[in-house]
């Protein structure tokens, strides 16, 4: 029980500054919203082979992009705390080491879900349509992938220790993964080499699963595949960063 | 209360090996105030971080209040408080909020935590600042908050790493009072590190002089000073060479040096030999303009055991971020 208590305490502390100035949440979601408003209409009139409107196709991809943006950068918040004495001070208490990380990841995911709802709200105004249950299912997948990427980002922050070292690694991983996952344009229009590269990107399956979930097509095989890929990623990054944490925080 | 044997820590950075701590033995009894005195880079923080479970020793063992450092770090954490070298309060939090969270992380229930924090704010002259953002406080106020976080769970052992570095003289003596009160009020065992001579002199029952990762001298401030070859005598006279020669003839005089018209030497009980020396100088027609004897300082101790002065042995600052 002390693990849950410690996670809650860490979460509560981490979430406070954001609650005090909610404007930070808007800033975080601003770039993806700009994509939605200024890029989304360019897809106007296009429909895929299943007859989905461009918004139905585009919005789920933007939600994944938002998730990556927010959680891949989560590690940056850890670095000042390791440099000052904040993290050390907490490590010398009897608090669970793992909870120091899970509480932060939980905060990232909660804020992410609020930002995702903001984006969905704007998309609904623009012409996107989705039911409540499909949206909830879509948010669950976002949460899984958000936790996975968040743990990865904290792991990298532990390893690299400096913002200037973390920044190129994060964008070096996130930008190609995002472009190759077909969030902006359908990858089946790509040249062969690019198409096959995108098939090798685990994130592509998650994006496709998110599209089906939000359209309410839960029974598609890709939903299962995408969810399993997300869970696999989650297992991978969690194990990795918790191992780093245990080694660093002896 | 604190016992360590053969503690070492070796850092590996790329191809470089840094032997930060090279075999340290410690015995601190309950209620004692003991300190490491040494220059930057001596291995003070590294030793402290090993003793507080933050860093795994390369070799050696330690035991705090009966809990083994390696096999029972959780037990150690329950017994200790730690005030690190850097500020440890989140700048984007309010004073009370951050302290209450910390008290909860220490395991106190919400109501006990709130009551304890109120009591501590009062005790550490922080009343009125409860709802201020920590980032907007002065250095001295932030340092007091660090100390409150280190001691609010009333641990029997508290470690301080350079408690007064960067503070103005008034905040320093105020902080020293707070550290002394810990023992007076709660019989707390205190282990601290410092590179300030006066801090070691005024706070520690026992001083361990540390240099290059090793303890090079140990004792009370008086015992350490007694190791130095006597008092320093400084004379200004009309004839420095003759004065130096007269000093050389004194029984037990050492380190006689001439610097312009100034002659310095060391001798046991300088106050007793001075009258004879002055008579001798008068006899050989040397005019004496001024005379001073000074008791050995801890800096003299450092100079004697390491061959360097603590003031100018400030080596390159430790790696940023530590
Ligand atoms: N994490 C680390 N990695 C590499 N070297 C370190 C690390 N921590 C300390 N050192 C080195 O170990 C030596 C002792 O440092 P430290 O214990 O911080 O000294 P002090 O606290 O006495 O100033 C220094 O040379 C410092 O550069
Ligand atoms: Mg230090």
């Amino acid at each position: 029980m002390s693990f849950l208590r410690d996670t809650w305490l860490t979460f509560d502390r981490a979430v406070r500054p954001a609650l005090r100035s909610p404007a930070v949440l808007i800033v975080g979601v601003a770039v993806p919203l700009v994509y939605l408003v200024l890029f989304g209409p360019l897809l106007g009139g296009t429909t895929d082979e299943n007859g989905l409107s461009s918004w139905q196709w585009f919005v789920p991809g933007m939600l994944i992009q938002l998730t990556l943006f927010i959680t891949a950068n989560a590690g940056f918040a850890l670095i000042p705390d390791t440099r000052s004495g904040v993290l050390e001070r907490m490590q010398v208490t009897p608090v669970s080491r793992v909870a120091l990380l899970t509480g932060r990841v939980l905060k990232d995911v909660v804020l992410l879900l609020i930002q995702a709802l903001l984006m969905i709200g704007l998309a609904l105004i623009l012409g996107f349509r989705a039911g409540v249950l499909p949206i909830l299912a879509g948010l669950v997948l976002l949460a899984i992938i958000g936790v996975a990427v968040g743990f990865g980002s904290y792991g990298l922050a532990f390893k690299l220790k400096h913002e200037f070292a973390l920044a190129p690694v994060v964008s070096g991983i996130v930008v190609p993964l995002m472009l190759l996952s077909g969030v902006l344009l359908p990858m089946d229009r790509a040249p062969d080499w690019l198409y096959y590269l995108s098939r090798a990107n685990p994130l592509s399956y998650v994006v496709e699963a998110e599209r089906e979930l939000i359209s309410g097509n839960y029974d598609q095989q890709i939903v299962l595949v995408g969810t399993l890929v997300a869970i696999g990623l989650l297992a991978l990054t969690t194990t990795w960063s918790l191992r780093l944490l245990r080694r660093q925080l002896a | 209360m604190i016992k360590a044997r053969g503690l070492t820590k070796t850092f590996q950075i790329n191809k470089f090996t840094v032997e930060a701590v090279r075999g340290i033995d410690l015995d601190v009894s309950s209620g004692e105030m003991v300190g490491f005195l040494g220059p930057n880079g001596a291995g003070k923080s590294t030793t402290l971080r090993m003793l507080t479970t933050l860093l795994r020793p390369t070799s050696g063992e330690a035991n705090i209040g009966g809990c083994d450092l390696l096999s029972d770090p959780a037990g150690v954490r329950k017994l200790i408080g730690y005030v690190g070298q850097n500020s440890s309060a989140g700048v984007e939090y309010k004073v009370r909020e951050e302290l209450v969270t910390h008290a909860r992380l220490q395991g106190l229930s919400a109501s006990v935590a709130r009551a304890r924090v109120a009591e501590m704010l009062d005790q550490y002259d922080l009343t009125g600042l409860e709802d201020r953002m920590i980032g907007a406080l002065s250095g001295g106020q932030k340092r007091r908050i660090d100390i409150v976080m280190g001691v609010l769970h009333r641990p029997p052992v508290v470690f301080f790493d350079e408690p007064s570095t960067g503070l103005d003289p008034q905040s320093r003596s105020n902080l020293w009072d707070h550290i002394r009160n810990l023992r007076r009020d709660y019989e707390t065992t205190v282990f601290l590190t410092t590179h300030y001579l006066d801090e070691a002199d005024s706070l520690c029952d026992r001083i361990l002089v540390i240099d290059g990762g090793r303890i090079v001298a140990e004792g009370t401030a008086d015992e350490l000073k007694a190791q130095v070859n006597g008092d320093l005598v400084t004379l200004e006279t009309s004839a420095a060479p003759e004065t130096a020669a007269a000093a050389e003839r004194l029984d037990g005089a050492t380190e006689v040096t001439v610097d312009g018209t100034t002659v310095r030497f060391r001798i046991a009980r300088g106050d007793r030999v001075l009258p004879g020396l002055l008579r001798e100088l008068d006899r050989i027609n040397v005019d004496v303009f001024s005379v001073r004897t000074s008791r050995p300082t801890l800096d003299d101790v450092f100079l004697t055991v390491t061959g360097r002065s603590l003031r100018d042995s400030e080596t390159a600052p430790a790696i940023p971020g530590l």
Side-chain angles (χ1 to χ4, degrees), chain B residues 3 72 86-87 118 132 169 191 196 205 234 254 260 268 298-299:
Chain B
K3 179 174 169 155
D72 187 15
N86 298 322
S87 171
R132 288 271 291 280
F191 191 92
Y196 292 125
D205 302 329
T234 311
T254 56
L298 284 175
D299 195 33

Side-chain angles (χ1 to χ4, degrees), chain A residues 5 9-10 13-14 16-17 20 82-86 88-95 97 248-250, chain B residues 49 52-54 77 80 82 86-90 92-94 97-98 101-102 104-108 149 321:
Chain A
R5 176 185 182 270
L9 287 172
T10 313
R13 178 180 186 274
R16 273 163 196 253
R20 239 190 311 266
T82 55
R83 194 161 26 231
S84 70
V86 172
E88 272 198 348
R89 178 249 297 177
M90 294 179 180
Q91 282 166 243
V92 180
T93 70
V95 83
R97 265 90 268 276
Q248 300 245 325
L249 309 190
Chain B
R49 295 175 43 156
T52 51
T53 77
L54 289 167
R77 284 183 205 119
I80 63 171
Y82 170 66
N86 298 322
S87 171
S88 62
E92 34 181 10
Y93 294 90
K94 294 176 183 172
E97 166 187 68
E98 184 74 327
T101 305
H102 187 75
R104 304 270 286 129
L105 289 173
Q106 282 290 7
L108 305 189
M149 287 196 287

Side-chain angles (χ1 to χ4, degrees), chain B residues 11 13 18 20 39-47 85 162 318-319 322:
Chain B
F11 292 107
I13 324 171
V18 181
N40 274 332
K44 305 183 296 293
S45 296
T46 305
T47 307
Q85 192 168 348
E162 310 244 1
I319 289 171
L322 296 173

Side-chain angles (χ1 to χ4, degrees), chain A residues 142-227:
Chain A
L142 289 188
I144 296 174
I145 201 75
V147 173
V149 176
F151 267 111
S153 180
Y154 284 117
L156 283 174
F158 266 121
K159 223 175 160 52
L160 300 173
K161 297 190 175 68
H162 298 279
E163 288 93 342
F164 65 79
L166 183 60
V169 174
V170 165
S171 49
I173 295 175
V174 168
V175 173
L177 277 186
M178 202 152 61
L179 289 176
L180 280 177
S181 67
V183 289
L184 293 179
L185 288 167
M187 289 315 279
D188 40 20
R189 298 179 196 171
D192 279 357
W193 65 271
L194 197 56
Y195 177 76
Y196 288 116
L197 219 54
S198 83
R199 291 289 86 191
N201 176 6
L203 207 60
S204 302
Y205 303 93
V206 182
V207 172
E208 282 162 32
E210 180 73 8
R211 289 200 178 111
E212 297 299 341
L213 279 177
I214 289 213
S215 305
N217 306 324
Y218 312 123
D219 56 350
Q220 299 286 317
Q221 195 193 347
I222 186 65
V223 170
L224 185 64
V225 174
T227 309

